[in-house]
Amino acid sequence: MGQIRELVLSWRAEGMVKSSWDDQGAVTSLLELLDEGDAATRVRALVVLGELLKNSRGAVRSQVMEVSERLVALLGEGDRRVAAKALDVLTVLLDGAHVSERMLLAMVDVAESMANSGDTFLYLSVLDLLREVRLPALSKRGEARIRALLSSKNPYIKIIGIRLSIGYGMPPETSGNVLAGILELMDSGRVILLETALDLLEEALETGLPDGAMPHLVGFLGALGDLGSGGQDIFLRSRALDVQSKVERILFEYYDGRRGDAVEVIEALIRSRRVKDAINLALILGGTPLLLRLWELEGGPGDTAVIDVLGPPAGDRRKEYMSAER
């Protein structure tokens, strides 16, 4: 370890990388330096480790992966120089890599800690890592952890749960909560949350939404339209309009062949006084006569003329949509 330490402390990274290329003992010595009390030593060891991983072979990567939880722990130990270099190493190491549930929950713990401390850069960086890794099957404990994140009143912690739920394919039982959480972020008025909400919504759309999530998706039309037409940030306005187009296309493709379902959703929206959302969905489906009727209703419940415009209701599925909108 003495020679390895000397190379690291002298910043001779090239020599260190060459020494460690096929030498598992040298890599072990390098990893042991991560537990040094001196932050400067750990920073230098992480720099060398990062360079090594960029050109490493399978055995070296596997060896480093064994201490990946230690690398995650370095993110939260308080020294920003160490945390930044540990992040560089993890970005290379975890790109497309399978992680264990224990490793995943360690990353969640760090992200939650950063959300509470307000360290925006590292928080967003760990969020990016959670998107790049290949997620493990979850135990009951892991599933409960994600549910707890989704129900958090702290929007930054809620985002962690949303990101993971999307990564797990938007399970039907949580899809409504996921979309509701994203919509809350859009209503916050804070730029960082608005940008993150647009990112998450696009990811959710790309992942694919279960049928039960479609009524919830209607609520984004107004929020995206408002964001696209107001505010001072040109980039946000442009992105909002782009995402709005994607939402409109998905809703049209889904409801165009399900006119009975569309009527039920529109009727439910009117009953819950969400006339603007009802109008937006009708616009997408080209229901000009329906729009005129909606204006006459002024948000009031129950008018059979609304149903007459687009076709008969789907009967037994009425309660399903009504409860979804509640």
Side-chain angles (χ1 to χ4, degrees):
M1 181 173 173
Q3 181 186 9
I4 302 299
R5 183 184 179 87
E6 179 183 348
L7 287 169
V8 168
L9 294 180
S10 64
W11 280 109
R12 281 150 49 195
E14 183 179 353
M16 178 66 235
V17 171
K18 290 179 179 178
S19 298
S20 305
W21 185 266
D22 286 313
D23 187 342
Q24 289 187 319
V27 175
T28 299
S29 297
L30 179 61
L31 295 174
E32 288 174 357
L33 292 177
L34 300 180
D35 293 319
E36 287 280 325
D38 177 42
T41 301
R42 284 185 288 168
V43 167
R44 295 179 183 187
L46 287 165
V47 170
V48 173
L49 192 57
E51 291 299 318
L52 182 63
L53 284 172
K54 289 177 183 177
N55 300 290
S56 66
R57 300 175 185 178
V60 173
R61 297 181 72 88
S62 298
Q63 191 176 358
V64 178
M65 183 63 81
E66 291 177 3
V67 299
S68 54
E69 287 184 48
R70 174 61 182 140
L71 292 168
V72 171
L74 289 175
L75 296 175
E77 290 191 357
D79 190 302
R80 285 188 60 82
R81 297 173 303 161
V82 173
K85 296 306 177 185
L87 180 63
D88 290 343
V89 173
L90 286 166
T91 300
V92 177
L93 181 66
L94 297 181
D95 185 20
H98 284 284
V99 296
S100 66
E101 182 180 47
R102 178 172 167 173
M103 174 66 170
L104 177 66
L105 294 181
M107 294 170 70
V108 167
D109 288 342
V110 169
E112 186 171 2
S113 175
M114 290 170 180
N116 287 321
S117 69
D119 193 328
T120 304
F121 171 74
L122 287 176
Y123 165 78
L124 292 175
S125 298
V126 176
L127 272 186
D128 287 341
L129 285 178
L130 290 172
R131 180 178 57 194
E132 299 303 327
V133 298
R134 300 171 71 179
L135 299 172
L138 288 177
S139 64
K140 295 294 184 182
R141 173 173 171 260
E143 293 173 354
R145 186 81 168 89
I146 293 181
R147 288 196 299 271
L149 294 168
L150 279 174
S151 64
S152 174
K153 296 188 180 301
N154 183 329
Y156 296 96
I157 292 176
K158 187 187 292 286
I159 285 170
I160 304 169
I162 293 172
R163 165 56 50 77
L164 290 173
S165 295
I166 294 172
Y168 277 106
M170 293 281 287
E173 62 272 17
T174 62
S175 61
N177 289 336
V178 168
L179 291 179
I182 297 174
L183 195 54
E184 285 178 21
L185 298 177
M186 294 192 65
D187 291 337
S188 70
R190 285 181 272 180
V191 172
I192 186 173
L193 294 181
L194 288 171
E195 291 177 344
T196 303
L198 292 174
D199 289 341
L200 292 170
L201 181 54
E202 283 195 295
E203 290 174 29
L205 297 178
E206 290 170 3
T207 297
L209 300 175
D211 289 354
M214 290 302 170
H216 297 280
L217 191 60
V218 176
F220 284 93
L221 295 171
L224 289 166
D226 291 344
L227 184 57
S229 61
Q232 302 299 316
D233 192 311
I234 296 176
F235 173 73
L236 271 179
R237 293 205 303 268
S238 176
R239 277 207 67 199
L241 292 174
D242 181 57
V243 178
Q244 182 184 19
S245 296
K246 295 177 181 179
V247 171
E248 289 175 350
R249 183 175 67 252
I250 289 172
L251 287 172
F252 176 80
E253 290 174 352
Y254 182 80
Y255 283 117
D256 187 50
R258 299 175 174 86
R259 289 301 174 110
D261 292 352
V263 167
E264 291 185 11
V265 173
I266 290 171
E267 207 179 23
L269 291 169
I270 294 172
R271 290 180 185 278
S272 59
R273 307 286 179 177
R274 293 172 55 189
V275 179
K276 184 177 180 181
D277 287 338
I279 291 173
N280 284 330
L281 181 55
L283 273 172
I284 290 172
L285 296 174
T288 304
L290 177 59
L291 286 177
L292 296 174
R293 179 63 62 181
L294 288 173
W295 283 116
E296 293 173 8
L297 286 174
E298 295 182 349
D303 190 314
T304 55
V306 176
I307 296 175
D308 293 339
V309 174
L310 289 182
D316 292 341
R317 297 190 65 190
R318 180 184 302 275
K319 290 183 180 179
E320 174 186 343
Y321 279 101
M322 292 293 288
S323 60
E325 285 305 310
R326 294 194 191 100

